[in-house]
Amino acid sequence: MNIIQQYEAFVADHNYRDALPLIRDIVERAPHVAISHFNLGVCLDELGRHSEAAEAFIKAQEIDIEDWGTHYRIIRSFFLAGDFDTLHEFIDYSCGLSDRVMRLICEDEAFGSLFERFEFQELRTKYLK
């Protein structure tokens, strides 16, 4: 069984703790592969390490800028980490690339409390014209 198969077996069993060092090794071997950074982010997110997950998702997004699923995971991770300053910056950046990002955030019940904050109300107004 190769390293990717081992990683996939751990993930299939929801064993993210043992999957984490394998996906880190995979990323190190091929740092130019967006899905590997994304998978690292998923492992970290599942372990409750949301700030680190956001960093991994950002690496994936830097490689594949128009992967809107990755944008969503960055937003979700910053939100769960409670890092509202960085979340605000990233949403502004992401919405500047595509106005659909704001619509997706507004439609997702998980982010409902986000728009209780003034700075995010301003972003909503800015991008939902």
Side-chain angles (χ1 to χ4, degrees):
M1 185 180 298
N2 68 35
I3 190 170
I4 294 173
Q5 292 168 325
Q6 289 175 317
Y7 163 76
E8 290 172 342
F10 284 135
V11 169
D13 289 338
H14 303 282
N15 182 351
Y16 297 100
R17 185 179 3 197
D18 289 336
L20 184 59
L22 297 176
I23 192 62
R24 284 191 191 279
D25 191 25
I26 291 167
V27 166
E28 189 175 304
R29 291 179 188 194
H32 59 282
V33 178
I35 192 67
S36 297
H37 290 281
F38 184 89
N39 289 338
L40 173 58
V42 170
C43 277
L44 291 164
D45 227 12
E46 290 293 332
L47 293 169
R49 296 164 63 175
H50 304 297
S51 294
E52 292 172 78
E55 292 174 24
F57 291 131
I58 286 171
K59 293 282 188 194
Q61 183 268 330
E62 289 171 350
I63 297 167
D64 187 0
I65 196 168
E66 292 185 355
D67 182 336
W68 306 112
T70 300
H71 284 251
Y72 173 85
R73 292 302 295 252
I74 295 166
I75 292 165
R76 180 182 175 276
S77 294
F78 282 135
F79 179 75
L80 292 173
D83 185 349
F84 296 107
D85 291 338
T86 309
L87 175 59
H88 183 272
E89 288 179 36
F90 186 78
I91 289 175
D92 196 20
Y93 159 77
S94 189
C95 288
L97 296 174
S98 174
D99 59 358
R100 69 179 167 181
V101 173
M102 182 56 72
R103 285 194 304 273
L104 292 171
I105 296 168
C106 289
E107 292 170 3
D108 191 328
E109 291 178 12
F111 299 117
S113 65
L114 187 63
F115 295 103
E116 294 172 7
R117 302 175 65 96
F118 177 74
E119 67 270 32
F120 292 99
Q121 291 172 12
E122 286 184 324
L123 281 179
R124 182 173 54 193
T125 301
K126 178 178 178 180
Y127 290 105
L128 290 181
K129 299 176 183 178

